[in-house]
Amino acid sequence: MSFVSIKGIRLALAGGALLGVAAALPHGAQAQNLTFYYPVAVGGPITKLIDTMAADFEKENPGIKVKPVYTGSYQDTIAKTLTALKGGEPPHFAVILSTDMYTLIDEEAVVAYEDIVKTDADKAWLKSFIPGFMENSQTGGKTWGIPFQRSTIVLYWNKELFKEAGFDPNKPPANWGELLDYAKKLTKKDANGNVTQWGVQVPSSGFPYWLFQGFTTQNDVRLMNATGTETYFDNPRVIEALQYWVDLSRKHQVHPPGIVEWGTTPKDFFEKKIAMMWTTTGNLTNVRNNAKFDFGVAMLPANKRRGSPTGGGNFYVFKKSTPQEREAVVKFAKWATQPERAAQWGIDTGYVAVTPAAWDTPKMKDYVAGFAAAAVARDQLPHAVAELSTHENQRVTRALDDGLQAALTGTKTPEQAMKDAQREAERILRPHKK
């Protein structure tokens, strides 16, 4: 879910551009100028990567111009998109969270891909993605989002600190009991009793509901139904999962207290302030480039089962566009998710390549052979579930986030926090129940 440091972008993508064959503008066809909202809060490598992708696509498709507009965070992007929609000038397409699917449908903002694609090849392309990513991309028998930058949550650990604590540096905790045992031995205090190194850190700002869904999935409980009209925040297993997270900090004192920042968690890991962290696979390249120590990456520890929610953004096509513009957007989305390009994107960023075919490319096979951690997220996908997504998703997730933060700061018990969150979610979703 975060944006990461990338090296060698222009070189990598220039090579990918050679894979295409330039397509001439058909006789009588008009050039299509597409506006593309992309969620990134700052300049630098990510914007250069997207700019290069757009330029390479234009070279191969001379009748189409793609103008990336960098719109801030995911939250900023959906807000700006809805504002532009109300103003009558939405983008032609955008990368927006997969979980915003219901919101975009309810706003009548987007068009399903089945209503655009015509050829058998394009229809086969719609079926080419890893199934776990399609749970947040399809509803009502139609595909509303195409997976692009997708992720799961994984466990990162410092192998040097494991070795110092007497653990096998190549063996991460496999379940909740082991996670707590490891974290206890990996938590260090100075002579005054102040913690100098935490055993484990799970961020609770930015996307607290997403990280929490790691715990709930492992406790074998879902947070919502498949149609986005019900939530189960007050389920006893949900409360039990939150109690475990709260206890890591408040009872066992092996996890930082209060609200832990999403953005600074990788930095804390690099500075050896924490021995283990949960964060997105989208940080994989960031960690590889900046950790000055040997580290490991593993699936999240299990409780009743293994599991993680999927995460990340999809390509959406906006309804306020001509049939020709929609076809041009599909052409770009198809181009960007071809196996070689999806593989390169995964290598450059740490996001999960979104098709099985991408993992079968020689480029990806070579990468995994030299860096096995890259395959962890892929291997975790059979255990993954859909990220929390409902109608009026921003309001519903805010209710859950508020409850989580109330429990983590000690202002409410986990039980009361989840009951209050469920009550608010039911109020929000009442108009959508049929």
Side-chain angles (χ1 to χ4, degrees):
M1 311 277 279
S2 66
F3 295 96
V4 296
S5 173
I6 305 171
K7 295 183 178 178
I9 292 163
R10 291 193 180 277
L11 177 63
L13 267 291
L18 297 176
L19 297 173
V21 179
L25 187 62
H27 178 70
Q30 294 182 334
Q32 304 300 324
N33 296 304
L34 304 178
T35 301
F36 171 31
Y37 277 14
Y38 184 82
V40 61
V42 295
I46 282 284
T47 59
K48 290 177 182 177
L49 173 56
I50 296 298
D51 285 344
T52 302
M53 289 181 72
D56 288 347
F57 175 76
E58 289 174 359
K59 288 176 187 175
E60 299 177 35
N61 299 273
I64 305 172
K65 297 292 183 184
V66 176
K67 180 186 177 183
V69 177
Y70 300 111
T71 43
S73 67
Y74 277 123
Q75 291 88 343
D76 293 335
T77 300
I78 184 65
K80 289 177 180 178
T81 298
L82 294 176
T83 298
L85 178 69
K86 289 177 172 58
E89 294 186 3
H92 295 95
F93 70 114
V95 169
I96 295 175
L97 283 175
S98 62
T99 54
D100 286 325
M101 175 178 67
Y102 291 114
T103 296
L104 293 168
I105 294 171
D106 290 344
E107 293 288 341
E108 298 185 351
V110 292
V111 61
Y113 280 83
E114 284 84 357
D115 296 338
I116 307 171
V117 301
K118 297 176 181 178
T119 68
D120 290 342
D122 286 347
K123 292 174 183 177
W125 167 67
L126 290 180
K127 298 178 181 178
S128 69
F129 296 92
I130 292 172
F133 290 140
M134 301 310 289
E135 287 192 42
N136 280 125
S137 305
Q138 297 174 323
T139 189
K142 291 190 174 183
T143 305
W144 300 90
I146 290 296
F148 176 55
Q149 53 187 49
R150 300 301 301 273
S151 58
T152 65
I153 308 165
V154 291
L155 170 72
Y156 297 80
W157 78 93
N158 183 320
K159 291 188 176 182
E160 291 179 7
L161 298 182
F162 266 47
K163 195 170 183 180
E164 288 175 13
F167 295 119
D168 181 342
N170 296 310
K171 185 181 178 183
N175 55 56
W176 283 9
E178 288 186 3
L179 180 68
L180 178 56
D181 290 342
Y182 279 44
K184 286 179 177 178
K185 292 182 181 178
L186 289 162
T187 299
K188 296 180 179 178
K189 296 181 179 180
D190 62 20
N192 295 319
N194 298 313
V195 174
T196 57
Q197 175 184 296
W198 295 102
V200 63
Q201 184 163 304
V202 181
S204 49
S205 77
F207 310 94
Y209 74 89
W210 191 56
L211 277 298
F212 178 55
Q213 206 173 344
F215 291 109
T216 57
T217 303
Q218 293 150 24
N219 215 29
D220 200 20
V221 61
R222 297 228 178 189
L223 292 180
M224 74 290 179
N225 65 356
T227 55
T229 59
E230 293 181 358
T231 60
Y232 311 118
F233 300 158
D234 59 350
N235 183 294
R237 288 190 179 182
V238 173
I239 295 168
E240 182 182 29
L242 180 54
Q243 187 70 60
Y244 178 82
W245 190 6
V246 168
D247 285 349
L248 288 175
S249 63
R250 301 186 65 80
K251 179 179 178 180
H252 304 295
Q253 299 181 355
V254 298
H255 181 292
I259 305 305
V260 174
E261 290 300 318
W262 166 268
T264 59
T265 293
K267 186 172 181 287
D268 292 341
F269 187 66
F270 303 149
E271 295 176 355
K272 299 185 180 181
K273 294 178 181 178
I274 54 177
M276 297 181 285
M277 68 172 176
W278 291 21
T279 190
T280 172
T281 53
N283 262 320
L284 184 57
T285 301
N286 184 28
V287 175
R288 191 182 192 191
N289 290 342
N290 292 291
K292 306 304 181 186
F293 48 81
D294 196 10
F295 68 92
V297 182
M299 297 185 201
L300 295 181
N303 190 38
K304 292 179 171 66
R305 53 162 287 188
R306 281 201 181 278
S308 165
T310 58
N314 285 346
F315 284 122
Y316 293 94
V317 186
F318 285 81
K319 190 175 288 189
K320 190 176 175 58
S321 54
T322 67
Q324 293 78 18
E325 288 168 340
R326 294 177 187 179
E327 289 177 12
V329 170
V330 169
K331 183 174 283 189
F332 181 87
K334 188 176 179 182
W335 180 91
T337 56
Q338 288 301 300
E340 285 286 338
R341 293 189 191 91
Q344 189 65 59
W345 175 260
I347 291 167
D348 286 342
T349 64
Y351 286 107
V352 186
V354 292
T355 64
W359 290 94
D360 284 337
T361 60
K363 182 181 296 184
M364 183 61 86
K365 287 182 177 179
D366 288 346
Y367 182 60
V368 171
F371 185 45
V376 170
R378 176 202 64 188
D379 295 342
Q380 186 171 241
L381 282 172
H383 307 287
V385 301
E387 183 178 358
L388 174 62
S389 179
T390 67
H391 294 274
E392 302 199 49
N393 198 56
Q394 290 74 33
R395 296 174 66 197
V396 171
T397 54
R398 172 59 64 87
L400 178 57
D401 285 348
D402 288 349
L404 295 174
Q405 294 186 343
L408 290 165
T409 56
T411 58
K412 291 182 182 179
T413 65
E415 181 177 14
Q416 189 60 55
M418 290 300 92
K419 285 184 175 180
D420 290 349
Q422 177 63 21
R423 189 179 303 111
E424 176 64 6
E426 287 177 354
R427 185 186 67 79
I428 295 167
L429 292 172
R430 194 169 295 126
H432 299 278
K433 284 197 171 187
K434 295 179 181 179

